[in-house]
Amino acid sequence: MQPVDRHISIYWVILVAESTDNSQEKDNFFYPNARYRGEFTPEHLAFNANLQEFAQRVSIICGLETGGKVPPGEAYKEIKRLWQQLKDSKQELLDQANRPRPKLPDDNT
């Protein structure tokens, strides 16, 4: 890809972002989320959201480091911190999900 093409695509992204009045549309453009198609449980859905957020943040950090805005050591520390948060999320949501759930009273009473 020639440098001119790269500038055109960056210009296009900025143009689209500036022409979008609705902040929800901007969020959908810059932070797309895929629909969850796995086995549905509230824990799986929450972990999937955390996983997608992790991926977005790592992508941003990598872009900042590649562009020279963040030093490599700082980028590594931030990604390591995010990874620990994802591991904690997995432990809380998925590993705990295997425990039996308490029986709830019926709504009919």
Side-chain angles (χ1 to χ4, degrees):
M1 184 181 248
Q2 298 174 351
V4 173
D5 293 335
R6 188 171 31 191
H7 292 296
I8 290 172
S9 26
I10 291 171
Y11 175 75
W12 181 82
V13 168
I14 292 169
L15 183 64
V16 168
E18 289 176 350
S19 68
T20 306
D21 293 334
N22 188 342
S23 67
Q24 181 64 37
E25 289 178 14
K26 283 184 188 177
D27 286 345
N28 290 340
F29 179 77
F30 286 111
Y31 308 107
N33 285 326
R35 290 184 182 209
Y36 182 69
R37 299 183 189 271
E39 177 188 345
F40 177 79
T41 65
E43 294 85 0
H44 287 173
L45 188 63
F47 180 73
N48 181 264
N50 293 343
L51 183 61
Q52 288 188 39
E53 183 178 350
F54 170 81
Q56 286 291 333
R57 288 180 179 222
V58 168
S59 176
I60 291 168
I61 293 167
C62 289
L64 291 171
E65 191 277 331
T66 300
K69 301 293 183 185
V70 175
E74 187 178 325
Y76 174 81
K77 286 178 187 175
E78 183 63 18
I79 291 172
K80 189 173 180 181
R81 186 185 67 77
L82 292 171
W83 176 250
Q84 186 60 50
Q85 285 179 348
L86 186 64
K87 283 175 60 176
D88 293 344
S89 168
K90 182 218 177 250
Q91 212 169 26
E92 291 174 18
L93 294 169
L94 301 182
D95 295 344
Q96 301 294 329
N98 295 331
R99 294 184 307 176
R101 295 182 182 219
K103 185 172 180 170
L104 300 175
D106 291 334
D107 288 338
N108 298 335
T109 57

